[in-house]
Amino acid sequence: MVYDCLIVGAGWAGCVLAERLANELNQKVLLVERRAHIAGNAYDGLDEHGIIVQRYGPHIFHTSARHIWDYVGRFTSWNGYVHRVLAQLTDKAVSLPINLDTMERLYDRPFTTEQFRHFLEQRRMPVEMIANARDVVISQVGSELYELFYRNYTKKQWGLSPEELAPEVTRRLPVRFDRDTRYFDDPYQGVPEDGFTCLFERMIDSPNITLRLRTDYRSVAGSERFGRLIYTGPIDEYFDCAYGRLPYRSVTFRFKTLNMERFQEAGVINYPGEQDYTRITEFKHLTLQKHPKTTICYEYGAAEGPPCYPVPTEANRRLYERYRARAEALEGVHFVGRLAQYEYLNMDQVVDRALAVFEEIRTRG
Ligand code: FAD
Ligand code: UDP
């Protein structure tokens, strides 16, 4: 068999491209995935108690782009979940990102938009050139709120202090001057009604796609015949780490099932304090499942384990650029996705990249 395309990795990047090439261009695709399942880090399914869990932590699809929402919506309906997060402080839980409700609960007094602006004006620490993830926060809200919500959490999540991380890390969280308590601003958000794995199954359900699980790229690269290669794994591995390893942060997940219907007030509660975990997810909030028991998941930032996050530091960016230059010199090979592009991308951004690569292939051949 000669395949038109070999795709490495059955996460968002790999499956969107497999679907497009198979269904739009009628190409024969071999999709290889080294894990025992599809859906990459969005993988979900029933645990031993019959509760739907997301194996790699809480995943909520959110986007501001209608075309992305419509594209993904071909393979699923949405459950209408709107993501809200609380931060558990020593004596109370407050809404995140910081908004007027957060301030009122924190300081036990009313806040109007003007009062909050004034409060921050007196506390923010102007930074001439924002150079890191700490600068972003202290220049907006000052050191007290930084210490309370950001410093420990970031250290636990990344194993680095905010001064060592790029501004984009903490820029992900807005500061709000209204009472919008949603975690994401995006108008389109939710969890697939039948779960992410089911969405992926529908997406790659084509006679043109051959899926091989538990199969590493290395085991097929020399033996299979294919035209184009789409690679969605870690870019440094592709080049045998020739310039040294690119660090990817991992996460350890500890699941626990409890004999109660509800454990916590929100789907995700962050722990910005001294605890060794960063957050606890209770999946039934996200999936809207009814069940007499509940499964929760503790998350711990980890140096070892499956690659989850590219680590945005200046040194890593420079190292990535060396790999990227080599990748660009290759003919007929595309590097797509969070691990291959070494970028802190959300699911919708990965879909967007994959659709853009497809357009490039379609128009340029
Ligand atoms: P992946 O999902 O990592 O898929 C790559 C696949 O390639 C993997 O399955 C891997 O096993 C496979 N692979 C790698 N190398 C090889 C090889 N050599 N041979 C064969 N297979 C290989 N995004 C959101 O939009 N909303 C959220 O709420 C959200 N929450 C998140 C929570 C956590 C804890 C994490 C870690 C991420 C979260 N994300 C979220 C980000 C989201 O997971 C990613 O954007 C998305 O999964 C990236 O898709 P991808 O295809 O690029 O990579
Ligand atoms: N962050 C924090 N405290 C929080 C939530 C987030 O300090 O309670 C910081 C932290 O550095 C984190 C970044 O903001 O890595 C981005 O948070 P987000 O929730 O977007 O990260 P995700 O888990 O989605 O990657």
Side-chain angles (χ1 to χ4, degrees):
M1 175 79 179
V2 181
Y3 295 97
D4 296 300
C5 184
L6 169 65
I7 300 186
V8 179
W12 280 106
C15 288
V16 167
L17 274 154
E19 184 280 318
R20 294 283 73 200
L21 292 170
N23 294 334
E24 286 291 308
L25 302 185
N26 196 26
Q27 293 196 353
K28 299 281 177 227
V29 174
L30 174 60
L31 175 60
V32 297
E33 168 56 59
R34 67 180 167 198
R35 291 172 173 171
H37 60 76
I38 58 169
N41 283 338
Y43 177 62
D44 57 14
L46 293 182
D47 68 8
E48 71 210 71
H49 304 275
I51 299 165
I52 308 157
V53 296
Q54 299 178 328
R55 294 284 171 194
Y56 304 94
H59 278 71
I60 297 93
F61 196 92
H62 59 99
T63 186
S64 57
R66 181 75 211 204
H67 73 281
I68 295 175
W69 184 249
D70 287 344
Y71 171 72
V72 177
R74 292 184 199 178
F75 313 103
T76 189
S77 47
W78 300 97
N79 71 358
Y81 173 73
V82 175
H83 193 40
R84 292 181 210 278
V85 173
L86 298 175
Q88 181 64 56
L89 307 175
T90 330
D91 56 339
K92 57 183 104 179
V94 301
S95 163
L96 257 192
I98 298 173
N99 61 72
L100 293 182
D101 280 5
T102 317
M103 297 305 290
E104 292 187 346
R105 266 189 76 68
L106 202 54
Y107 292 99
D108 263 329
R109 70 162 176 92
F111 268 93
T112 62
T113 298
E114 288 63 40
Q115 285 165 335
F116 185 29
R117 284 195 197 283
H118 179 70
F119 178 96
L120 291 188
E121 257 339 293
Q122 293 182 318
R123 285 164 180 80
R124 56 189 290 271
M125 300 158 76
V127 178
E128 211 164 287
M129 265 262 292
I130 304 278
N132 58 56
R134 177 178 181 268
D135 290 348
V136 170
V137 182
I138 60 161
S139 64
Q140 274 182 295
V141 301
S143 65
E144 189 178 325
L145 294 174
Y146 166 76
E147 293 288 328
L148 204 53
F149 291 109
Y150 291 87
R151 189 167 63 88
N152 281 346
Y153 188 97
T154 303
K155 186 94 187 68
K156 291 191 283 186
Q157 165 81 12
W158 296 98
L160 295 171
S161 55
E163 289 93 328
E164 296 170 275
L165 289 160
E168 73 199 60
V169 172
T170 43
R171 266 199 199 120
R172 289 168 61 88
L173 243 62
V175 174
R176 299 215 182 98
F177 293 89
D178 55 20
R179 290 182 194 281
D180 184 355
T181 56
R182 296 171 309 158
Y183 199 64
F184 305 119
D185 294 333
D186 294 331
Y188 309 111
Q189 53 183 289
V191 169
E193 201 130 45
D194 308 311
F196 281 102
T197 307
C198 203
L199 181 167
F200 276 79
E201 280 166 359
R202 292 186 196 119
M203 190 153 54
I204 59 170
D205 179 18
S206 157
N208 278 343
I209 300 174
T210 305
L211 169 69
R212 280 197 217 147
L213 296 175
R214 298 183 193 84
T215 305
D216 195 284
Y217 164 60
R218 306 240 163 250
S219 70
V220 295
S223 54
E224 294 293 346
R225 291 165 63 206
F226 55 90
R228 186 184 308 280
L229 172 66
I230 291 170
Y231 182 87
T232 78
I235 189 170
D236 59 340
E237 271 185 35
Y238 181 88
F239 295 105
D240 297 320
C241 301
Y243 305 128
R245 273 214 166 273
L246 261 176
Y248 290 87
R249 186 69 170 163
S250 193
V251 183
T252 302
F253 304 98
R254 184 164 61 87
F255 292 84
K256 205 167 155 185
T257 300
L258 305 165
N259 232 333
M260 54 172 69
E261 268 199 65
R262 265 278 182 266
F263 170 74
Q264 63 187 26
E265 260 183 83
V268 172
I269 300 196
N270 288 3
Y271 285 80
E274 295 296 328
Q275 305 80 359
D276 50 0
Y277 43 89
T278 50
R279 58 185 178 185
I280 302 178
T281 299
E282 184 175 19
F283 294 102
K284 281 168 61 188
H285 285 273
L286 277 60
T287 59
L288 314 183
Q289 188 183 10
K290 301 268 177 273
H291 196 287
K293 295 184 183 177
T294 193
T295 299
I296 60 172
C297 173
Y298 293 78
E299 273 178 61
Y300 307 81
E304 302 295 327
C308 289
Y309 295 84
V311 184
T313 67
E314 187 46 35
N316 295 347
R317 194 192 58 75
R318 280 201 300 269
L319 181 54
Y320 165 68
E321 285 303 330
R322 296 184 70 193
Y323 284 113
R324 190 168 73 114
R326 270 185 79 168
E328 276 177 2
L330 296 173
E331 281 283 316
V333 187
H334 303 262
F335 290 79
V336 195
R338 178 143 144 153
L339 308 173
Q341 298 185 278
Y342 205 68
E343 233 186 291
Y344 197 163
L345 299 172
N346 294 326
M347 295 187 279
D348 64 319
Q349 295 171 304
V350 173
V351 172
D352 203 26
R353 294 287 171 91
L355 293 176
V357 169
F358 171 71
E359 279 311 316
E360 200 182 297
I361 293 171
R362 185 160 63 161
T363 51
R364 292 204 209 136

